[in-house]
């Protein structure tokens, strides 16, 4: 694999996941505690981020770092999958809330 292909994957996947969340570069920068210019430079393939910066972006986007390097055809960043993940998270949160509420009233 060529270095440029790795940069392309990183850039494309960060941008896709950011957009799937409906965030601007500014919002991702704020949430990850890096500059907006850094986000722009990474997405524009002008900058290779440090491990620390990648970790910050990964944490902000709530995604494992390795997923930034998946090929586009295997990407887990489609809107449908995010919607599915979001639905699952909401269902689990509601279930947890119901269980806690029931426990409070059964005691």
């Amino acid at each position: 694999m060529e270095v440029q292909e790795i940069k392309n994957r990183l850039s494309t996947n960060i941008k896709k996941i950011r957009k799937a969340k409906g965030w601007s570069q500014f919002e991702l920068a704020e949430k990850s505690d890096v500059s907006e210019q850094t986000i722009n430079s990474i997405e524009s393939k002008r900058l290779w981020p440090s491990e620390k910066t990648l970790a910050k972006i990964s944490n902000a986007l709530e995604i494992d770092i390795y997923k930034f390097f998946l090929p586009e055809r295997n990407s887990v960043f489609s809107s449908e999958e995010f919607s599915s993940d979001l639905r699952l998270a909401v269902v689990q949160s509601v279930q947890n809330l119901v269980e806690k509420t029931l426990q409070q009233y059964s005691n």
Side-chain angles (χ1 to χ4, degrees):
M1 181 182 312
E2 300 282 330
V3 172
Q4 191 59 42
E5 183 179 350
I6 295 170
K7 285 182 181 182
N8 288 341
R9 285 182 185 181
L10 176 67
S11 168
T12 298
N13 288 333
I14 287 176
K15 187 174 187 175
K16 277 185 177 182
I17 191 170
R18 174 182 61 77
K19 286 187 170 193
K21 288 185 172 277
W23 295 352
S24 66
Q25 288 181 341
F26 177 77
E27 289 170 308
L28 177 55
E30 278 193 331
K31 293 173 191 292
S32 60
D33 194 32
V34 299
S35 73
E36 184 177 5
Q37 180 159 355
T38 296
I39 299 298
N40 182 278
S41 294
I42 293 168
E43 288 186 3
S44 301
K45 302 173 201 126
R46 292 188 309 269
L47 174 71
W48 182 257
S50 68
E51 294 90 3
K52 184 177 179 179
T53 299
L54 264 181
K56 287 179 174 185
I57 294 170
S58 170
N59 288 333
L61 293 171
E62 299 175 327
I63 195 96
D64 292 327
I65 290 176
Y66 80 90
K67 292 181 180 179
F68 290 149
F69 300 98
L70 292 176
E72 197 169 339
R73 66 185 173 278
N74 295 330
S75 180
V76 295
F77 307 129
S78 70
S79 296
E80 297 86 30
E81 290 181 27
F82 270 123
S83 297
S84 175
D85 288 346
L86 182 58
R87 267 193 305 275
L88 180 60
V90 168
V91 168
Q92 289 173 340
S93 293
V94 170
Q95 286 175 337
N96 289 340
L97 181 61
V98 169
E99 286 175 14
K100 286 180 183 178
T101 303
L102 289 173
Q103 286 175 355
Q104 286 177 339
Y105 288 105
S106 66
N107 291 334

